[in-house]
Amino acid sequence: MRLSRDDPGLPLYHNENNRNQTLRRIRTRARFWFAQRSTGVKIGLLFLIGFLLFGLLKICSNAITTDVHQMAVPNQNQDPIIINEQIIGGKPENPKEDDERVNDDMAVEMDNRQSDAENSPAHKQAHRATGKSVKFNGPDNERQKAVVKAFQHAWLGYKKYAWGHDTLKPVSKSYSDWFDTGLTIVDGLDTALIMGLEEEAAEATEWIQNKLTFEKDRMVNFFECTIRVLGGMMSAFYLTGNEMFLEKSVDLGDRLLSAFKSPSPIPFSDVNLLKRTGTNPQWGSDSSLSEVTTVQLEYRAISRASGNSTYEDLSFNVSQHIHKIGCDHEGLCGMFINANTGTFKKGATITFGARSDSYYEYLFKQWIQTGKTIDWLKDDYGKAMAAMEKHLYRNSEPNKMFFIGELLSGETYSPKMDHLVCFIAGTLSQGSQNGFPRKHMDMAEKIGETCHNMYDNPTGLGPEIAHFNMIPGKEDLYVKPLDAHCLLRPEAIEGWFYLYRFTGNKKYQEWGWAAFQAIEKYARISTGGYSSISNVKKINVQYRDSMESFLLGETFKYLYLLLGDDQTVLPLDKWVFTTEGHPLPIYDH
């Protein structure tokens, strides 16, 4: 008789592999035993097994529900969470009366907030800055009209090939996304308003209202997203009074506040908009000085408009922290600061260019924005300008071009100046009109002229970086091949705008007009838009196929304002321009 493999009559299954023999024997004998039982016994056993399984599932379900409830409801017995001095959550003072207290407090808080907002200077300033009181009449001369046409040409190319995306690639008629927030639209909206371009402004407003969303699982740079997107929308709010811009700004501002969940008062450099988490940059734990100290104008504006001081408190705490720890070089700071420790990186370069520039700008502009009421901002700015003059301000040979160099590793002087540094001509000139020494205007005029000299090349466009000779017998200024590209930056034109406002010297208008003509000749793409170029020293230009959002947000805006006959538009005792060129109101406190 042949036995089957699972017959219990096979004591060891006659298998040469003895592994799992015990388990197989038990399983086979259980099947044999079950097969010998009557039908009634089988039904009873199946019912018992089903009942046991149901009970087990019920127990597991209750455990999961309890865990989910505990996660959804914060533990009120825990200590409050503190993020850079801001208290979030924590145990209520009287748990038994918590519900009643919360309801009462919310009602009182809403009433108080509404009353305070209506009576606050910030609220009144917001209404003074709406479209009801800020009227723009459009261009008043042929040069301004030309700039308006250039803006429209850039807008048309962007609308045709990149609408809703961050930036236009005009040569390939495509687009690129950095934050996926329609940077060009938001950054350029207030320029369209100032130029009186109702159609373009309406298109931008409609897109922001109906299409712009921040529910995106995307990492963005805290600083760049603040100055371009948040700053652009807050400027549009103050220029039009449209509450939609404020609502969008609050949504974005709440997400960006995740940057302040760092171990120190220094915010993280990057934020995930959807997850609302902050992190250090991929290349290390250091944040750029300019990035963490150039968001305060924007967050103060949103706090004053919304009535929520958290934005202003957290951002201004960064400035207070820098003021408290101080800078090693008599008010000049290194370019990197650690978000984990809140301390400066040792041996970092000291510069007024990339990674440091707007720290000094916002020391002064915060003082202006707050009605000149915070003395230490003024003092720190004055101290920094004195140290800049002592350690960085030099002149070339043989023609005495004045420039601001750098201290490499905080020690070795380098006669290198970024195009970005040209902003200081505007800041120094404005400072001279607000109590700082007359020599600040002299320095501003000399730096403004050097920035003009940077445009003295075959294309008439400004390079990204220039180097200066300090030894007689050579040319004053030279541009290295890797520094010769031009992104159509605004800083030189920005400086000339301020200088013209305060001096009335028409040479600054001529310099701006010449720069605009060079943009038209060498950067304009016939099918729409303008492109950065690879080398300002070559007339046969090579395009980089990129139109930065700041071309519309700053460069064309400052050109338009510089070239106008009416220099009372956006008076500088009522408005302060952010580092991205967005005008915000000045407060009295």
Side-chain angles (χ1 to χ4, degrees):
M1 182 178 70
R2 296 177 61 106
L3 299 176
S4 63
R5 186 171 173 80
D6 58 352
D7 194 311
L10 280 171
L12 295 179
Y13 306 176
H14 298 282
N15 191 347
E16 295 180 357
N17 185 352
N18 293 327
R19 290 182 304 172
N20 297 325
Q21 290 176 354
T22 302
L23 179 61
R24 291 177 179 177
R25 183 183 296 113
I26 294 173
R27 183 180 62 192
T28 304
R29 289 188 176 183
R31 288 179 181 175
F32 182 77
W33 179 87
F34 186 77
Q36 301 303 313
R37 304 284 80 83
S38 66
T39 302
V41 172
K42 290 179 180 179
I43 294 174
L45 288 173
L46 292 174
F47 178 80
L48 178 61
I49 293 171
F51 179 78
L52 292 174
L53 288 174
F54 175 79
L56 181 62
L57 290 173
K58 187 69 174 177
I59 293 172
C60 293
S61 175
N62 289 338
I64 292 173
T65 302
T66 301
D67 289 341
V68 170
H69 178 74
Q70 289 175 345
M71 288 190 293
V73 181
N75 185 354
Q76 294 182 338
N77 292 321
Q78 290 181 343
D79 292 333
I81 300 172
I82 300 177
I83 300 178
N84 293 342
E85 303 178 1
Q86 298 296 310
I87 300 176
I88 302 175
K91 182 179 179 180
E93 296 179 0
N94 191 345
K96 295 182 179 179
E97 300 177 0
D98 185 53
D99 291 340
E100 295 180 4
R101 181 181 62 79
V102 168
N103 292 334
D104 292 342
D105 287 352
M106 286 179 63
V108 172
E109 174 66 18
M110 291 299 292
D111 291 340
N112 290 341
R113 215 177 250 191
Q114 182 176 359
S115 176
D116 291 344
E118 291 174 352
N119 295 313
S120 68
H123 179 83
K124 295 176 181 178
Q125 181 66 59
H127 279 282
R128 286 196 299 271
T130 61
K132 295 179 181 179
S133 58
V134 179
K135 181 175 176 58
F136 299 105
N137 298 319
D140 54 23
N141 59 49
E142 293 303 315
R143 288 183 172 183
Q144 273 196 325
K145 290 179 182 179
V147 176
V148 171
K149 289 182 180 179
F151 180 93
Q152 291 177 309
H153 181 74
W155 189 268
L156 176 63
Y158 172 77
K159 186 178 177 181
K160 285 167 57 178
Y161 305 118
W163 186 252
H165 296 280
D166 284 342
T167 55
L168 168 68
K169 299 175 72 173
V171 178
S172 59
K173 301 177 183 178
S174 183
Y175 58 82
S176 62
D177 280 314
W178 187 14
F179 302 152
D180 195 16
T181 56
L183 283 181
T184 299
I185 296 174
V186 185
D187 216 1
L189 170 57
D190 61 353
T191 303
L193 292 168
I194 292 168
M195 290 179 172
L197 295 175
E198 296 180 0
E199 181 178 345
E200 289 80 356
E203 290 172 344
T205 301
E206 190 277 335
W207 185 86
I208 292 172
Q209 181 171 350
N210 298 321
K211 300 294 184 180
L212 179 59
T213 176
F214 304 113
E215 278 287 302
K216 297 176 180 179
D217 190 5
R218 197 178 188 99
M219 296 299 298
V220 301
N221 180 271
F222 169 61
F223 159 71
E224 293 286 358
C225 196
T226 296
I227 66 171
R228 300 194 194 207
V229 185
L230 183 64
M233 291 192 298
M234 284 307 301
S235 182
F237 165 71
Y238 279 109
L239 291 175
T240 66
N242 188 334
E243 292 286 335
M244 179 273 295
F245 293 120
L246 177 59
E247 293 170 3
K248 292 281 187 177
S249 297
V250 168
D251 180 20
L252 176 59
D254 288 345
R255 297 170 190 270
L256 292 176
L257 285 184
S258 303
F260 291 99
K261 296 178 182 179
S262 60
S264 78
I266 303 302
F268 290 125
S269 68
D270 299 322
V271 172
N272 186 296
L273 292 178
L274 178 65
K275 299 177 182 177
R276 305 189 185 212
T277 56
T279 184
N280 287 314
Q282 294 182 353
W283 47 266
S285 58
D286 293 316
S287 295
S288 298
L289 173 65
S290 59
E291 293 189 355
V292 302
T293 58
T294 314
V295 297
Q296 287 72 20
L297 297 187
E298 292 83 354
Y299 280 107
R300 182 170 289 109
I302 191 175
S303 277
R304 302 297 176 94
S306 68
N308 183 350
S309 66
T310 302
Y311 312 104
E312 181 173 1
D313 292 343
L314 287 175
S315 61
F316 190 51
N317 191 41
V318 180
S319 301
Q320 291 174 312
H321 177 74
I322 301 294
H323 170 68
K324 180 179 179 180
I325 65 176
C327 301
D328 292 338
H329 288 72
E330 304 173 42
L332 299 179
C333 303
M335 65 196 305
F336 292 118
I337 189 166
N338 193 293
N340 294 329
T341 64
T343 58
F344 282 103
K345 181 178 181 179
K346 298 295 182 182
T349 294
I350 292 176
T351 176
F352 271 63
R355 300 192 180 279
S356 295
D357 49 355
S358 45
Y359 160 68
Y360 304 102
E361 177 187 3
Y362 269 37
L363 280 177
F364 174 76
K365 287 185 174 179
Q366 283 195 83
W367 180 62
I368 291 293
Q369 186 190 33
T370 53
K372 306 178 186 177
T373 58
I374 304 177
D375 290 339
W376 65 261
L377 287 170
K378 176 184 178 183
D379 295 340
D380 283 5
Y381 170 76
K383 184 179 179 181
M385 293 306 101
M388 177 268 286
E389 182 181 9
K390 177 180 178 181
H391 297 290
L392 305 179
Y393 186 60
R394 299 288 186 269
N395 64 266
S396 66
E397 294 292 345
N399 294 311
K400 309 297 182 184
M401 294 182 187
F402 284 84
F403 64 94
I404 299 175
E406 300 179 345
L407 289 178
L408 304 180
S409 301
E411 298 177 354
T412 306
Y413 189 80
S414 172
K416 161 187 171 289
M417 190 171 89
D418 296 354
H419 186 280
L420 290 167
V421 179
C422 293
F423 86 90
I424 199 63
T427 307
L428 284 169
S429 63
Q430 189 174 14
S432 72
Q433 308 299 304
N434 288 275
F436 285 95
R438 165 64 196 178
K439 68 177 179 180
H440 281 201
M441 177 60 82
D442 296 334
M443 295 169 65
E445 291 180 309
K446 290 175 180 177
I447 294 170
E449 185 168 3
T450 297
C451 292
H452 172 59
N453 291 331
M454 291 172 66
Y455 283 65
D456 185 12
N457 58 63
T459 62
L461 295 171
E464 186 73 359
I465 299 171
H467 290 77
F468 297 86
N469 285 311
M470 301 178 68
I471 301 173
K474 297 182 179 181
E475 292 185 3
D476 291 79
L477 181 156
Y478 64 97
V479 178
K480 297 180 179 180
L482 293 179
D483 301 331
H485 56 284
C486 175
L487 304 182
L488 308 180
R489 287 192 183 276
E491 288 78 19
I493 299 164
E494 172 189 355
W496 302 335
F497 158 70
Y498 283 99
L499 285 165
Y500 182 62
R501 276 278 172 108
F502 297 127
T503 68
N505 191 330
K506 290 189 176 295
K507 72 178 182 181
Y508 299 115
Q509 287 187 319
E510 297 304 318
W511 292 354
W513 179 245
F516 172 72
Q517 289 180 307
I519 292 173
E520 284 292 290
K521 185 173 183 179
Y522 293 106
R524 190 178 191 271
I525 305 301
S526 60
T527 54
Y530 295 80
S531 177
S532 304
I533 67 171
S534 298
N535 194 324
V536 299
K537 298 186 292 184
K538 295 181 178 181
I539 293 180
N540 294 324
V541 298
Q542 292 183 333
Y543 297 116
R544 293 166 64 96
D545 196 17
S546 174
M547 187 178 79
E548 296 284 350
S549 69
F550 55 66
L551 175 66
L552 285 76
E554 296 183 82
T555 306
F556 285 151
K557 180 186 291 144
Y558 282 125
L559 278 168
Y560 178 82
L561 293 172
L562 167 63
L563 296 172
D565 296 333
D566 181 8
Q567 288 297 312
T568 65
V569 176
L570 296 171
L572 297 177
D573 60 344
K574 302 295 183 184
W575 298 88
V576 58
F577 285 83
T578 71
T579 196
E580 189 71 9
H582 298 302
L584 296 173
I586 292 174
Y587 310 108
D588 60 6
H589 66 292

